[in-house]
Amino acid sequence: MQSGANLDDAHYFGQALRDAVRDGQVPQARIDDMVARILTGLIDVGALDAESIDDHAQLIDFSHHKLIAQRQAEEGIVLLTNRNATLPLPQRLARLLVVGEHADHGVLCGGGSSAVTPIGSLQLPGTSIMGMDVAKIVQPSSLVTAIKEESAARDVVFVDGADRQQVLDEARKADAVIVFAQEWRSEGLDAVGLALPDDQDALIEAIAGVNPATIVVIQSGGPVTMPWRDSVAAILAAWYPGSGGGPAVAGVLFGRVNPSGRLPVTFPASEAQLPRPAQIDPETTTSNPATPRQGGIIALDYDIDGSDVGYRWFAREGHEPLFPFGFGLSYTTFALSGLHVNVDGRYTASVAVANTGARTGAVVVQIYVAKPGADGFVKRLAGFTKTLLAAGGRASVEIDLEPRIVARYRVGGNAPGFVIEPGVYHVWAAQHAGDDALWQDVAIDEARRIAP
């Protein structure tokens, strides 16, 4: 077993950085500044206080921390499809089928430096990044156990999905099937397309063919394609839901939680809609500092999309995505009205929100701005807020708009900086980027410089 210092030397800066300081390539003052930044943060949060260092002085409330993680996951789960109000599922069903690799143990975790490995995690073979093994972590938050507790179903059957015939036989007998699909991503690992791996698409299609009440819960680090979308009853994007992920997902499935997450990315209908649909060789890798480069150099032309990345690319090209940026359904309904935009002094938008459904729920009001014309730009998100309302409840919300979102950076003159150009701007209040029901034109008469 190598020591930690030797591992650092082998894979990070280590001796190469020491040599650079000794030879004058890196000033000692630069190292001192970096250390000061680290120590300042540790001191600021009290991490170096005597009572924090004493193992007997600070007990960790693991249960409380897990509950915090659960609540955050509940806020972020996105309901993508809900045909015939299949969700929330009723409690006390006779028979539920749960399908998914390791769903009896827990939830998937993204790989690399973001991975967290609680006690009881499964560590499975993952990938290798520049010679470093990165495990595929399944965190101990059993989806099957949480569904049993939340559903009060008479019988909850679990199969991992490896035996296709077994899955279909069980699916035919179930009142509903919950399929936990997964796509593992890691730091330093290029995605190979956007399809679910390991023939999961075919499995989902087959299950939906024998049981119309098939619900798919996707654990992924980003968008995936869904050739089975129109065949299943409901779809949830659970992302990598963390150490409280089991009860968070179960809470949404059975209605204890009304989903209020919204997509932070666009789900394309296919890879062909992407700016660079060609697949990069997955064996191509980058290099860590002070280590030899592995793989070829990849040239990317950023003129293809420029600043129109993500949802802006889809708007500019007129693509109809699978699910747009900002999208998310609820178990209730909302209505927006009375948009008013202020551009004198503070840049704000106010709008009235009403819960027109029968359940308490939260809506994310999103404000988008576009400038038509040759010198304009496509729709951009300028501000948003989440509002919780009881059934029949109403509220007025005011949202601060980020002026730099609609400004351009001028490099000439004595004072370079962000400037909002004169012209007419379209402003939308929406529940997602594709909702154009409520809008207002706003005129800016002269160029406005934004204070840094």
PDB file of all heavy atoms in Angstrom, residues 346-380:
ATOM      1  N   ARG A 346     -33.860  49.211 -10.354  1.00  0.00           N
ATOM      2  CA  ARG A 346     -33.752  47.747 -10.292  1.00  0.00           C
ATOM      3  C   ARG A 346     -34.477  47.130 -11.484  1.00  0.00           C
ATOM      4  O   ARG A 346     -35.498  47.643 -11.939  1.00  0.00           O
ATOM      5  CB  ARG A 346     -34.372  47.208  -9.003  1.00  0.00           C
ATOM      6  CG  ARG A 346     -33.525  47.380  -7.765  1.00  0.00           C
ATOM      7  CD  ARG A 346     -34.329  46.947  -6.550  1.00  0.00           C
ATOM      8  NE  ARG A 346     -34.760  45.554  -6.648  1.00  0.00           N
ATOM      9  CZ  ARG A 346     -35.855  45.087  -6.061  1.00  0.00           C
ATOM     10  NH1 ARG A 346     -36.660  45.901  -5.392  1.00  0.00           N
ATOM     11  NH2 ARG A 346     -36.165  43.812  -6.149  1.00  0.00           N
ATOM     12  N   TYR A 347     -33.931  46.008 -11.935  1.00  0.00           N
ATOM     13  CA  TYR A 347     -34.601  45.240 -12.985  1.00  0.00           C
ATOM     14  C   TYR A 347     -35.389  44.125 -12.300  1.00  0.00           C
ATOM     15  O   TYR A 347     -34.810  43.206 -11.714  1.00  0.00           O
ATOM     16  CB  TYR A 347     -33.582  44.655 -13.959  1.00  0.00           C
ATOM     17  CG  TYR A 347     -32.858  45.707 -14.774  1.00  0.00           C
ATOM     18  CD1 TYR A 347     -31.727  46.346 -14.274  1.00  0.00           C
ATOM     19  CD2 TYR A 347     -33.319  46.064 -16.030  1.00  0.00           C
ATOM     20  CE1 TYR A 347     -31.063  47.313 -15.015  1.00  0.00           C
ATOM     21  CE2 TYR A 347     -32.665  47.035 -16.785  1.00  0.00           C
ATOM     22  CZ  TYR A 347     -31.539  47.650 -16.270  1.00  0.00           C
ATOM     23  OH  TYR A 347     -30.896  48.610 -17.008  1.00  0.00           O
ATOM     24  N   THR A 348     -36.724  44.203 -12.368  1.00  0.00           N
ATOM     25  CA  THR A 348     -37.565  43.234 -11.679  1.00  0.00           C
ATOM     26  C   THR A 348     -38.751  42.846 -12.557  1.00  0.00           C
ATOM     27  O   THR A 348     -39.110  43.552 -13.495  1.00  0.00           O
ATOM     28  CB  THR A 348     -38.107  43.779 -10.346  1.00  0.00           C
ATOM     29  OG1 THR A 348     -38.947  44.914 -10.615  1.00  0.00           O
ATOM     30  CG2 THR A 348     -36.991  44.182  -9.398  1.00  0.00           C
ATOM     31  N   ALA A 349     -39.350  41.724 -12.204  1.00  0.00           N
ATOM     32  CA  ALA A 349     -40.613  41.304 -12.813  1.00  0.00           C
ATOM     33  C   ALA A 349     -41.522  40.830 -11.701  1.00  0.00           C
ATOM     34  O   ALA A 349     -41.087  40.100 -10.797  1.00  0.00           O
ATOM     35  CB  ALA A 349     -40.388  40.188 -13.832  1.00  0.00           C
ATOM     36  N   SER A 350     -42.772  41.252 -11.727  1.00  0.00           N
ATOM     37  CA  SER A 350     -43.753  40.787 -10.754  1.00  0.00           C
ATOM     38  C   SER A 350     -44.871  40.068 -11.493  1.00  0.00           C
ATOM     39  O   SER A 350     -45.218  40.427 -12.627  1.00  0.00           O
ATOM     40  CB  SER A 350     -44.319  41.951  -9.930  1.00  0.00           C
ATOM     41  OG  SER A 350     -44.958  42.891 -10.776  1.00  0.00           O
ATOM     42  N   VAL A 351     -45.413  39.033 -10.858  1.00  0.00           N
ATOM     43  CA  VAL A 351     -46.457  38.238 -11.485  1.00  0.00           C
ATOM     44  C   VAL A 351     -47.328  37.619 -10.401  1.00  0.00           C
ATOM     45  O   VAL A 351     -46.845  37.301  -9.302  1.00  0.00           O
ATOM     46  CB  VAL A 351     -45.839  37.144 -12.397  1.00  0.00           C
ATOM     47  CG1 VAL A 351     -45.018  36.153 -11.595  1.00  0.00           C
ATOM     48  CG2 VAL A 351     -46.899  36.440 -13.207  1.00  0.00           C
ATOM     49  N   ALA A 352     -48.610  37.480 -10.680  1.00  0.00           N
ATOM     50  CA  ALA A 352     -49.532  36.823  -9.757  1.00  0.00           C
ATOM     51  C   ALA A 352     -49.555  35.327 -10.056  1.00  0.00           C
ATOM     52  O   ALA A 352     -49.546  34.910 -11.214  1.00  0.00           O
ATOM     53  CB  ALA A 352     -50.930  37.406  -9.910  1.00  0.00           C
ATOM     54  N   VAL A 353     -49.573  34.523  -8.987  1.00  0.00           N
ATOM     55  CA  VAL A 353     -49.550  33.069  -9.109  1.00  0.00           C
ATOM     56  C   VAL A 353     -50.746  32.511  -8.359  1.00  0.00           C
ATOM     57  O   VAL A 353     -51.050  32.937  -7.237  1.00  0.00           O
ATOM     58  CB  VAL A 353     -48.253  32.477  -8.517  1.00  0.00           C
ATOM     59  CG1 VAL A 353     -48.140  30.996  -8.841  1.00  0.00           C
ATOM     60  CG2 VAL A 353     -47.043  33.230  -9.010  1.00  0.00           C
ATOM     61  N   ALA A 354     -51.429  31.534  -8.968  1.00  0.00           N
ATOM     62  CA  ALA A 354     -52.569  30.884  -8.323  1.00  0.00           C
ATOM     63  C   ALA A 354     -52.435  29.373  -8.449  1.00  0.00           C
ATOM     64  O   ALA A 354     -52.074  28.860  -9.506  1.00  0.00           O
ATOM     65  CB  ALA A 354     -53.883  31.331  -8.960  1.00  0.00           C
ATOM     66  N   ASN A 355     -52.698  28.676  -7.343  1.00  0.00           N
ATOM     67  CA  ASN A 355     -52.782  27.216  -7.363  1.00  0.00           C
ATOM     68  C   ASN A 355     -54.216  26.858  -7.728  1.00  0.00           C
ATOM     69  O   ASN A 355     -55.135  27.026  -6.920  1.00  0.00           O
ATOM     70  CB  ASN A 355     -52.402  26.645  -5.998  1.00  0.00           C
ATOM     71  CG  ASN A 355     -52.407  25.125  -5.975  1.00  0.00           C
ATOM     72  OD1 ASN A 355     -53.033  24.465  -6.808  1.00  0.00           O
ATOM     73  ND2 ASN A 355     -51.716  24.547  -4.994  1.00  0.00           N
ATOM     74  N   THR A 356     -54.437  26.385  -8.938  1.00  0.00           N
ATOM     75  CA  THR A 356     -55.778  26.111  -9.431  1.00  0.00           C
ATOM     76  C   THR A 356     -56.179  24.648  -9.258  1.00  0.00           C
ATOM     77  O   THR A 356     -57.233  24.230  -9.752  1.00  0.00           O
ATOM     78  CB  THR A 356     -55.883  26.486 -10.915  1.00  0.00           C
ATOM     79  OG1 THR A 356     -54.866  25.777 -11.652  1.00  0.00           O
ATOM     80  CG2 THR A 356     -55.679  27.987 -11.098  1.00  0.00           C
ATOM     81  N   GLY A 357     -55.353  23.868  -8.576  1.00  0.00           N
ATOM     82  CA  GLY A 357     -55.641  22.454  -8.386  1.00  0.00           C
ATOM     83  C   GLY A 357     -56.126  22.136  -6.992  1.00  0.00           C
ATOM     84  O   GLY A 357     -56.511  23.025  -6.221  1.00  0.00           O
ATOM     85  N   ALA A 358     -56.079  20.847  -6.649  1.00  0.00           N
ATOM     86  CA  ALA A 358     -56.650  20.369  -5.390  1.00  0.00           C
ATOM     87  C   ALA A 358     -55.613  19.985  -4.353  1.00  0.00           C
ATOM     88  O   ALA A 358     -55.969  19.495  -3.280  1.00  0.00           O
ATOM     89  CB  ALA A 358     -57.549  19.159  -5.679  1.00  0.00           C
ATOM     90  N   ARG A 359     -54.328  20.203  -4.642  1.00  0.00           N
ATOM     91  CA  ARG A 359     -53.266  19.824  -3.704  1.00  0.00           C
ATOM     92  C   ARG A 359     -52.340  21.011  -3.441  1.00  0.00           C
ATOM     93  O   ARG A 359     -52.134  21.856  -4.316  1.00  0.00           O
ATOM     94  CB  ARG A 359     -52.410  18.683  -4.280  1.00  0.00           C
ATOM     95  CG  ARG A 359     -53.091  17.326  -4.369  1.00  0.00           C
ATOM     96  CD  ARG A 359     -52.165  16.350  -5.084  1.00  0.00           C
ATOM     97  NE  ARG A 359     -52.709  15.005  -5.137  1.00  0.00           N
ATOM     98  CZ  ARG A 359     -52.376  14.025  -4.304  1.00  0.00           C
ATOM     99  NH1 ARG A 359     -51.498  14.246  -3.350  1.00  0.00           N
ATOM    100  NH2 ARG A 359     -52.910  12.823  -4.419  1.00  0.00           N
ATOM    101  N   THR A 360     -51.758  21.032  -2.273  1.00  0.00           N
ATOM    102  CA  THR A 360     -50.672  21.972  -2.000  1.00  0.00           C
ATOM    103  C   THR A 360     -49.484  21.615  -2.878  1.00  0.00           C
ATOM    104  O   THR A 360     -49.163  20.439  -3.080  1.00  0.00           O
ATOM    105  CB  THR A 360     -50.265  21.903  -0.516  1.00  0.00           C
ATOM    106  OG1 THR A 360     -51.353  22.341   0.282  1.00  0.00           O
ATOM    107  CG2 THR A 360     -49.047  22.772  -0.244  1.00  0.00           C
ATOM    108  N   GLY A 361     -48.841  22.637  -3.428  1.00  0.00           N
ATOM    109  CA  GLY A 361     -47.686  22.379  -4.284  1.00  0.00           C
ATOM    110  C   GLY A 361     -46.875  23.636  -4.502  1.00  0.00           C
ATOM    111  O   GLY A 361     -47.283  24.739  -4.133  1.00  0.00           O
ATOM    112  N   ALA A 362     -45.703  23.458  -5.096  1.00  0.00           N
ATOM    113  CA  ALA A 362     -44.800  24.578  -5.365  1.00  0.00           C
ATOM    114  C   ALA A 362     -44.600  24.736  -6.863  1.00  0.00           C
ATOM    115  O   ALA A 362     -44.460  23.742  -7.590  1.00  0.00           O
ATOM    116  CB  ALA A 362     -43.453  24.366  -4.673  1.00  0.00           C
ATOM    117  N   VAL A 363     -44.594  25.974  -7.314  1.00  0.00           N
ATOM    118  CA  VAL A 363     -44.360  26.282  -8.720  1.00  0.00           C
ATOM    119  C   VAL A 363     -43.095  27.123  -8.824  1.00  0.00           C
ATOM    120  O   VAL A 363     -42.800  27.939  -7.942  1.00  0.00           O
ATOM    121  CB  VAL A 363     -45.558  27.039  -9.338  1.00  0.00           C
ATOM    122  CG1 VAL A 363     -45.791  28.365  -8.632  1.00  0.00           C
ATOM    123  CG2 VAL A 363     -45.362  27.254 -10.832  1.00  0.00           C
ATOM    124  N   VAL A 364     -42.336  26.896  -9.871  1.00  0.00           N
ATOM    125  CA  VAL A 364     -41.144  27.695 -10.136  1.00  0.00           C
ATOM    126  C   VAL A 364     -41.484  28.680 -11.252  1.00  0.00           C
ATOM    127  O   VAL A 364     -41.621  28.301 -12.419  1.00  0.00           O
ATOM    128  CB  VAL A 364     -39.949  26.816 -10.544  1.00  0.00           C
ATOM    129  CG1 VAL A 364     -38.719  27.691 -10.808  1.00  0.00           C
ATOM    130  CG2 VAL A 364     -39.647  25.794  -9.449  1.00  0.00           C
ATOM    131  N   VAL A 365     -41.654  29.949 -10.883  1.00  0.00           N
ATOM    132  CA  VAL A 365     -41.929  30.998 -11.874  1.00  0.00           C
ATOM    133  C   VAL A 365     -40.593  31.406 -12.496  1.00  0.00           C
ATOM    134  O   VAL A 365     -39.649  31.759 -11.791  1.00  0.00           O
ATOM    135  CB  VAL A 365     -42.612  32.211 -11.237  1.00  0.00           C
ATOM    136  CG1 VAL A 365     -42.892  33.277 -12.294  1.00  0.00           C
ATOM    137  CG2 VAL A 365     -43.899  31.796 -10.536  1.00  0.00           C
ATOM    138  N   GLN A 366     -40.534  31.356 -13.820  1.00  0.00           N
ATOM    139  CA  GLN A 366     -39.300  31.638 -14.543  1.00  0.00           C
ATOM    140  C   GLN A 366     -39.521  32.834 -15.473  1.00  0.00           C
ATOM    141  O   GLN A 366     -40.540  32.913 -16.157  1.00  0.00           O
ATOM    142  CB  GLN A 366     -38.882  30.406 -15.357  1.00  0.00           C
ATOM    143  CG  GLN A 366     -38.709  29.162 -14.494  1.00  0.00           C
ATOM    144  CD  GLN A 366     -38.690  27.873 -15.308  1.00  0.00           C
ATOM    145  OE1 GLN A 366     -38.082  27.807 -16.364  1.00  0.00           O
ATOM    146  NE2 GLN A 366     -39.362  26.848 -14.800  1.00  0.00           N
ATOM    147  N   ILE A 367     -38.551  33.746 -15.484  1.00  0.00           N
ATOM    148  CA  ILE A 367     -38.627  34.928 -16.340  1.00  0.00           C
ATOM    149  C   ILE A 367     -37.563  34.805 -17.429  1.00  0.00           C
ATOM    150  O   ILE A 367     -36.377  34.676 -17.144  1.00  0.00           O
ATOM    151  CB  ILE A 367     -38.416  36.231 -15.548  1.00  0.00           C
ATOM    152  CG1 ILE A 367     -39.395  36.318 -14.382  1.00  0.00           C
ATOM    153  CG2 ILE A 367     -38.545  37.428 -16.472  1.00  0.00           C
ATOM    154  CD1 ILE A 367     -40.853  36.380 -14.787  1.00  0.00           C
ATOM    155  N   TYR A 368     -38.028  34.844 -18.694  1.00  0.00           N
ATOM    156  CA  TYR A 368     -37.135  34.749 -19.847  1.00  0.00           C
ATOM    157  C   TYR A 368     -37.170  36.058 -20.626  1.00  0.00           C
ATOM    158  O   TYR A 368     -38.204  36.731 -20.682  1.00  0.00           O
ATOM    159  CB  TYR A 368     -37.554  33.600 -20.767  1.00  0.00           C
ATOM    160  CG  TYR A 368     -37.364  32.240 -20.148  1.00  0.00           C
ATOM    161  CD1 TYR A 368     -38.368  31.660 -19.374  1.00  0.00           C
ATOM    162  CD2 TYR A 368     -36.174  31.537 -20.319  1.00  0.00           C
ATOM    163  CE1 TYR A 368     -38.192  30.415 -18.795  1.00  0.00           C
ATOM    164  CE2 TYR A 368     -35.996  30.288 -19.744  1.00  0.00           C
ATOM    165  CZ  TYR A 368     -37.005  29.735 -18.980  1.00  0.00           C
ATOM    166  OH  TYR A 368     -36.823  28.512 -18.402  1.00  0.00           O
ATOM    167  N   VAL A 369     -36.032  36.400 -21.226  1.00  0.00           N
ATOM    168  CA  VAL A 369     -35.915  37.628 -22.009  1.00  0.00           C
ATOM    169  C   VAL A 369     -35.284  37.290 -23.353  1.00  0.00           C
ATOM    170  O   VAL A 369     -34.334  36.501 -23.424  1.00  0.00           O
ATOM    171  CB  VAL A 369     -35.061  38.683 -21.280  1.00  0.00           C
ATOM    172  CG1 VAL A 369     -34.963  39.957 -22.103  1.00  0.00           C
ATOM    173  CG2 VAL A 369     -35.632  38.981 -19.898  1.00  0.00           C
ATOM    174  N   ALA A 370     -35.811  37.897 -24.418  1.00  0.00           N
ATOM    175  CA  ALA A 370     -35.229  37.764 -25.752  1.00  0.00           C
ATOM    176  C   ALA A 370     -35.244  39.120 -26.432  1.00  0.00           C
ATOM    177  O   ALA A 370     -36.074  39.979 -26.122  1.00  0.00           O
ATOM    178  CB  ALA A 370     -36.009  36.752 -26.589  1.00  0.00           C
ATOM    179  N   LYS A 371     -34.314  39.320 -27.352  1.00  0.00           N
ATOM    180  CA  LYS A 371     -34.260  40.562 -28.135  1.00  0.00           C
ATOM    181  C   LYS A 371     -34.292  40.188 -29.611  1.00  0.00           C
ATOM    182  O   LYS A 371     -33.359  39.575 -30.129  1.00  0.00           O
ATOM    183  CB  LYS A 371     -32.988  41.349 -27.824  1.00  0.00           C
ATOM    184  CG  LYS A 371     -32.947  42.735 -28.475  1.00  0.00           C
ATOM    185  CD  LYS A 371     -31.722  43.511 -27.980  1.00  0.00           C
ATOM    186  CE  LYS A 371     -31.733  44.949 -28.497  1.00  0.00           C
ATOM    187  NZ  LYS A 371     -31.459  45.018 -29.945  1.00  0.00           N
ATOM    188  N   PRO A 372     -35.386  40.519 -30.299  1.00  0.00           N
ATOM    189  CA  PRO A 372     -35.477  40.158 -31.724  1.00  0.00           C
ATOM    190  C   PRO A 372     -34.589  41.051 -32.579  1.00  0.00           C
ATOM    191  O   PRO A 372     -34.125  42.106 -32.147  1.00  0.00           O
ATOM    192  CB  PRO A 372     -36.957  40.378 -32.032  1.00  0.00           C
ATOM    193  CG  PRO A 372     -37.392  41.422 -31.056  1.00  0.00           C
ATOM    194  CD  PRO A 372     -36.594  41.201 -29.813  1.00  0.00           C
ATOM    195  N   GLY A 373     -34.354  40.607 -33.799  1.00  0.00           N
ATOM    196  CA  GLY A 373     -33.570  41.408 -34.732  1.00  0.00           C
ATOM    197  C   GLY A 373     -32.185  40.843 -34.956  1.00  0.00           C
ATOM    198  O   GLY A 373     -31.722  39.933 -34.255  1.00  0.00           O
ATOM    199  N   ALA A 374     -31.495  41.422 -35.937  1.00  0.00           N
ATOM    200  CA  ALA A 374     -30.175  40.926 -36.315  1.00  0.00           C
ATOM    201  C   ALA A 374     -29.164  41.051 -35.181  1.00  0.00           C
ATOM    202  O   ALA A 374     -28.229  40.251 -35.083  1.00  0.00           O
ATOM    203  CB  ALA A 374     -29.685  41.684 -37.551  1.00  0.00           C
ATOM    204  N   ASP A 375     -29.326  42.068 -34.334  1.00  0.00           N
ATOM    205  CA  ASP A 375     -28.391  42.266 -33.227  1.00  0.00           C
ATOM    206  C   ASP A 375     -28.928  41.682 -31.924  1.00  0.00           C
ATOM    207  O   ASP A 375     -28.420  41.979 -30.848  1.00  0.00           O
ATOM    208  CB  ASP A 375     -28.104  43.751 -33.035  1.00  0.00           C
ATOM    209  CG  ASP A 375     -29.344  44.533 -32.607  1.00  0.00           C
ATOM    210  OD1 ASP A 375     -30.472  44.034 -32.855  1.00  0.00           O
ATOM    211  OD2 ASP A 375     -29.190  45.622 -32.028  1.00  0.00           O
ATOM    212  N   GLY A 376     -29.969  40.849 -32.019  1.00  0.00           N
ATOM    213  CA  GLY A 376     -30.619  40.349 -30.814  1.00  0.00           C
ATOM    214  C   GLY A 376     -30.094  39.004 -30.360  1.00  0.00           C
ATOM    215  O   GLY A 376     -29.006  38.559 -30.734  1.00  0.00           O
ATOM    216  N   PHE A 377     -30.912  38.341 -29.541  1.00  0.00           N
ATOM    217  CA  PHE A 377     -30.522  37.043 -29.004  1.00  0.00           C
ATOM    218  C   PHE A 377     -31.782  36.254 -28.682  1.00  0.00           C
ATOM    219  O   PHE A 377     -32.869  36.817 -28.526  1.00  0.00           O
ATOM    220  CB  PHE A 377     -29.650  37.203 -27.745  1.00  0.00           C
ATOM    221  CG  PHE A 377     -30.226  38.115 -26.703  1.00  0.00           C
ATOM    222  CD1 PHE A 377     -31.185  37.673 -25.797  1.00  0.00           C
ATOM    223  CD2 PHE A 377     -29.812  39.437 -26.616  1.00  0.00           C
ATOM    224  CE1 PHE A 377     -31.719  38.519 -24.839  1.00  0.00           C
ATOM    225  CE2 PHE A 377     -30.336  40.295 -25.673  1.00  0.00           C
ATOM    226  CZ  PHE A 377     -31.297  39.831 -24.774  1.00  0.00           C
ATOM    227  N   VAL A 378     -31.631  34.948 -28.588  1.00  0.00           N
ATOM    228  CA  VAL A 378     -32.766  34.076 -28.284  1.00  0.00           C
ATOM    229  C   VAL A 378     -33.075  34.133 -26.789  1.00  0.00           C
ATOM    230  O   VAL A 378     -32.344  34.726 -25.998  1.00  0.00           O
ATOM    231  CB  VAL A 378     -32.480  32.628 -28.717  1.00  0.00           C
ATOM    232  CG1 VAL A 378     -32.307  32.540 -30.216  1.00  0.00           C
ATOM    233  CG2 VAL A 378     -31.252  32.068 -27.993  1.00  0.00           C
ATOM    234  N   LYS A 379     -34.147  33.480 -26.433  1.00  0.00           N
ATOM    235  CA  LYS A 379     -34.670  33.517 -25.067  1.00  0.00           C
ATOM    236  C   LYS A 379     -33.622  33.083 -24.034  1.00  0.00           C
ATOM    237  O   LYS A 379     -32.951  32.060 -24.190  1.00  0.00           O
ATOM    238  CB  LYS A 379     -35.887  32.590 -25.007  1.00  0.00           C
ATOM    239  CG  LYS A 379     -36.700  32.687 -23.744  1.00  0.00           C
ATOM    240  CD  LYS A 379     -37.888  31.739 -23.794  1.00  0.00           C
ATOM    241  CE  LYS A 379     -38.813  32.098 -24.926  1.00  0.00           C
ATOM    242  NZ  LYS A 379     -40.028  31.244 -24.909  1.00  0.00           N
ATOM    243  N   ARG A 380     -33.494  33.883 -22.978  1.00  0.00           N
ATOM    244  CA  ARG A 380     -32.536  33.614 -21.906  1.00  0.00           C
ATOM    245  C   ARG A 380     -33.240  33.714 -20.561  1.00  0.00           C
ATOM    246  O   ARG A 380     -34.074  34.596 -20.346  1.00  0.00           O
ATOM    247  CB  ARG A 380     -31.380  34.617 -21.942  1.00  0.00           C
ATOM    248  CG  ARG A 380     -30.575  34.600 -23.225  1.00  0.00           C
ATOM    249  CD  ARG A 380     -29.493  35.659 -23.206  1.00  0.00           C
ATOM    250  NE  ARG A 380     -28.676  35.614 -24.413  1.00  0.00           N
ATOM    251  CZ  ARG A 380     -27.652  36.435 -24.644  1.00  0.00           C
ATOM    252  NH1 ARG A 380     -27.337  37.366 -23.761  1.00  0.00           N
ATOM    253  NH2 ARG A 380     -26.958  36.326 -25.765  1.00  0.00           N
TER     254      ARG A 380
END
